[in-house]
């Protein structure tokens, strides 16, 4: 006779054949789903599985952080592959999706104070963490693997070069970088394209490091960094770029965001929005990511983003989808993080390490199997602003 726990797993996994998760606690085994891939989870005890089943999207990661379970063969990515496929299947089967989406949007009401708090939660962590697992330029966004064999450093520079071509920059142009991070893109544009860049961020830690970098490089006459919300920025710019920031805006603020891009962009200017995007319809986001990694964040679907752009006065010139580039980027970050794991355990604690490795692996799994990609939205105010073909975007071989 099946146990109560197995009957519950059979009920919630009904019809799911995208993989099998086997939960093991001592002599007891419970199975969720069927088919390949197959992954085994070693539980500390049966109570961990009961906790997970109360709220899987939050508790699966939380119980891992608390050492409640381990992947049987050490392959956390395989476990998360099955878990993500199951979560996606469950989301499509559950009722009340519209209500949950509306509730999720209430958690995305990011006024300036909330936005700063959310950014500081993630980006004001010890900068040593980021220095040790990112590339030399401290780019914390998807790299562009123009050739598969590129190093992480080269792929990040390839991303900057492609963005510069999409902005169609001329020497002396004034560029606004919304969410400038540690300043890597601004530095690249100033050094290689002779432009003047204003970078804004809500992270005081990022601002300090970015400022130190331009002082060291002697670029203070071409780059200015400010602790500033995009809603308060003033000026007129030949180009507006935002890389990895739109995911933090939140759906209720989309109209304001694109209105501000329109207002800040000169009539003959070009904007480029680089953002993680979902290839599926609008959703609700993951509870664990929202609680521990990116509070207030939301990954947009193209449909909900374009609907707002159409009303903003901006013209969509090009939409490019980067498939699997972020999965490759995250694989690089994971290898570098694991190489430094003992250092992080000593300085930040084991629970933090487990949180971070779950975050990196879950993110990679999301780009490989969970329907996430990267969108490049190229926008102008004038239809004739850019060349008529994409030839100018690709460097000669």
């Amino acid at each position: 006779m099946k146990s109560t726990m197995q009957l519950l797993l059979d009920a919630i996994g009904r019809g799911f054949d995208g993989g099998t998760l086997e939960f093991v606690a001592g002599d007891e085994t419970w199975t969720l789903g069927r088919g390949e891939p197959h992954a085994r989870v070693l539980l500390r005890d049966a109570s961990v599985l009961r906790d997970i089943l109360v709220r899987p999207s939050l508790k699966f990661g939380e119980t891992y952080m608390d050492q409640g379970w381990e992947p049987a063969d050490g392959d956390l990515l395989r476990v998360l592959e099955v878990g993500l496929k199951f979560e996606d299947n469950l989301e499509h089967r559950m009722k009340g999706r519209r209500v949950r989406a509306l509730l999720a949007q209430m958690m995305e009401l990011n006024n300036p104070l909330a936005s700063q708090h959310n950014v500081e939660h993630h980006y004001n962590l010890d900068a040593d963490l980021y220095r040790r697992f990112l590339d030399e330029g401290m780019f914390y966004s998807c790299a562009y693997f123009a050739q598969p064999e590129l190093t992480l450093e080269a792929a990040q520079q390839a991303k900057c070069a492609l963005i510069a071509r999409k902005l169609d920059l001329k020497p002396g142009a004034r560029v606004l970088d919304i969410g400038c991070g540690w300043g890597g893109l601004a530095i690249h544009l100033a050094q290689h394209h002779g432009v003047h860049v204003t970078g804004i961020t809500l992270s005081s830690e990022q601002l300090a490091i970015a400022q130190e970098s331009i002082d060291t490089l002697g670029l203070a006459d071409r780059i200015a960094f400010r602790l500033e919300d995009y809603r308060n920025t003033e000026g007129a710019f030949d180009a507006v770029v935002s890389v990895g920031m739109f995911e933090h805006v939140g759906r209720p603020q989309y109209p304001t965001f694109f209105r501000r891009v329109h207002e800040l962009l000169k009539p003959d200017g070009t904007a480029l929005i680089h953002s993680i995007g979902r290839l599926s319809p609008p959703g609700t986001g993951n509870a664990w990511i929202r609680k521990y990694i990116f509070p207030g964040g939301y990954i947009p679907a193209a449909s909900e983003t374009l609907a707002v752009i159409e009303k903003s006065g901006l013209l969509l010139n090009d939409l490019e989808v980067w498939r699997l580039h972020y999965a490759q980027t995250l694989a690089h970050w994971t290898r570098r993080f694991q190489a430094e794991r003992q250092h992080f355990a000593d300085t930040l604690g084991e629970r933090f390490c487990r949180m971070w490795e779950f975050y990196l692996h879950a993110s990679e799994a999301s780009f490989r199997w969970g329907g996430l990609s990267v969108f490049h939205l190229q926008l102008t105010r004038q239809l004739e602003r850019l060349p008529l073909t994409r030839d100018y975007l690709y460097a000669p071989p």
Side-chain angles (χ1 to χ4, degrees):
M1 180 180 294
K2 290 185 178 181
S3 66
T4 302
M5 193 91 76
Q6 186 58 61
L7 290 171
L8 179 58
L9 287 168
D10 288 346
I12 65 175
R14 185 172 56 252
F16 174 63
D17 57 4
T20 305
L21 269 182
E22 192 174 77
F23 298 93
V24 180
D27 295 332
E28 296 184 275
T29 300
W30 305 271
T31 303
L32 173 68
R34 62 182 181 181
E36 293 295 331
H38 185 281
R40 298 180 75 229
V41 172
L42 303 181
L43 302 168
R44 186 176 56 212
D45 54 59
S47 68
V48 176
L49 181 55
R50 286 194 289 270
D51 287 345
I52 291 171
L53 293 177
V54 169
R55 194 178 177 190
S57 65
L58 174 64
K59 291 297 183 178
F60 198 48
E62 208 163 60
T63 52
Y64 180 79
M65 290 168 57
D66 294 331
Q67 302 185 53
W69 61 269
E70 301 286 346
D73 56 0
D75 192 350
L76 180 58
L77 189 62
R78 176 60 61 87
V79 172
L80 289 167
E81 175 185 357
V82 182
L84 276 168
K85 289 178 178 178
F86 171 72
E87 184 178 26
D88 182 64
N89 176 269
L90 188 63
E91 173 70 16
H92 281 86
R93 287 192 288 120
M94 288 181 67
K95 298 179 180 180
R97 294 182 65 193
R98 179 169 296 184
V99 173
R100 293 198 305 279
L102 290 172
L103 290 173
Q105 289 196 44
M106 292 178 65
M107 302 179 72
E108 300 163 27
L109 288 168
N110 297 323
N111 60 37
L113 184 62
S115 294
Q116 183 158 3
H117 172 78
N118 293 339
V119 166
E120 289 175 347
H121 175 88
H122 190 80
Y123 296 99
N124 276 16
L125 295 172
D126 185 355
D128 181 61
L129 165 71
Y130 294 104
R131 284 196 181 97
R132 287 175 179 265
F133 82 86
L134 298 178
D135 67 298
E136 294 173 359
M138 291 183 74
F139 288 94
Y140 192 32
S141 57
C142 180
Y144 181 63
F145 291 87
Q147 293 85 39
E149 69 277 5
L150 288 184
T151 64
L152 180 60
E153 279 74 14
Q156 292 290 10
Q157 291 300 310
K159 182 256 299 289
C160 293
L162 180 56
I163 287 174
R165 293 194 294 274
K166 289 189 175 188
L167 293 173
D168 196 30
L169 297 172
K170 303 296 187 292
R174 306 198 69 83
V175 181
L176 174 64
D177 184 358
I178 301 176
C180 61
W182 290 280
L185 177 61
I187 290 169
H188 177 96
L189 296 180
Q191 286 182 325
H192 294 277
H193 298 277
V195 298
H196 297 270
V197 185
T198 298
I200 60 173
T201 177
L202 292 178
S203 167
S204 57
E205 294 294 324
Q206 286 187 330
L207 178 66
I209 292 172
Q211 188 62 52
E212 181 182 342
S213 296
I214 61 171
D215 291 342
T216 301
L217 294 169
L219 293 172
D221 60 331
R222 281 184 277 169
I223 301 175
F225 291 122
R226 301 199 295 255
L227 193 68
E228 184 172 278
D229 190 287
Y230 68 92
R231 285 163 283 204
N232 299 325
T233 301
E234 296 181 356
F237 299 89
D238 300 289
V240 175
V241 62
S242 179
V243 177
M245 179 270 184
F246 188 64
E247 302 91 316
H248 301 282
V249 169
R251 283 171 286 187
Q253 289 72 233
Y254 284 1
T256 299
F257 178 84
F258 285 110
R259 186 184 74 246
R260 292 298 291 135
V261 172
H262 182 275
E263 291 169 349
L264 293 163
L265 189 65
K266 291 181 179 179
D268 60 348
T270 305
L272 190 284
I273 310 300
H274 167 126
S275 173
I276 300 171
R278 63 178 71 224
L279 300 175
S280 58
T284 59
N286 178 270
W288 184 86
I289 289 289
R290 184 182 292 116
K291 179 176 179 179
Y292 288 99
I293 307 298
F294 295 121
Y298 173 73
I299 304 302
S303 55
E304 57 194 334
T305 307
L306 297 180
V308 179
I309 291 173
E310 291 166 358
K311 301 173 183 177
S312 70
L314 293 165
L315 303 174
L316 179 67
N317 283 250
D318 193 64
L319 169 58
E320 184 176 9
V321 179
W322 289 9
R323 295 170 294 105
L324 295 175
H325 288 268
Y326 219 150
Q328 291 179 250
T329 303
L330 284 152
H332 278 278
W333 290 349
T334 297
R335 285 193 291 271
R336 294 180 181 213
F337 178 84
Q338 292 298 340
E340 299 278 356
R341 194 186 191 286
Q342 188 57 55
H343 170 80
F344 295 135
D346 293 340
T347 56
L348 298 170
E350 178 62 21
R351 191 171 192 266
F352 178 89
C353 283
R354 293 177 72 89
M355 177 187 75
W356 207 260
E357 64 191 3
F358 190 90
Y359 154 55
L360 292 176
H361 278 101
S363 297
E364 180 182 350
S366 295
F367 284 97
R368 292 194 184 279
W369 306 291
L372 294 189
S373 193
V374 170
F375 297 156
H376 262 204
L377 297 150
Q378 187 189 44
L379 310 167
T380 63
R381 293 177 59 177
Q382 296 179 354
L383 195 59
E384 67 278 10
R385 166 64 182 88
L386 295 168
L388 297 182
T389 73
R390 281 181 166 181
D391 294 348
Y392 73 104
L393 295 180
Y394 304 104

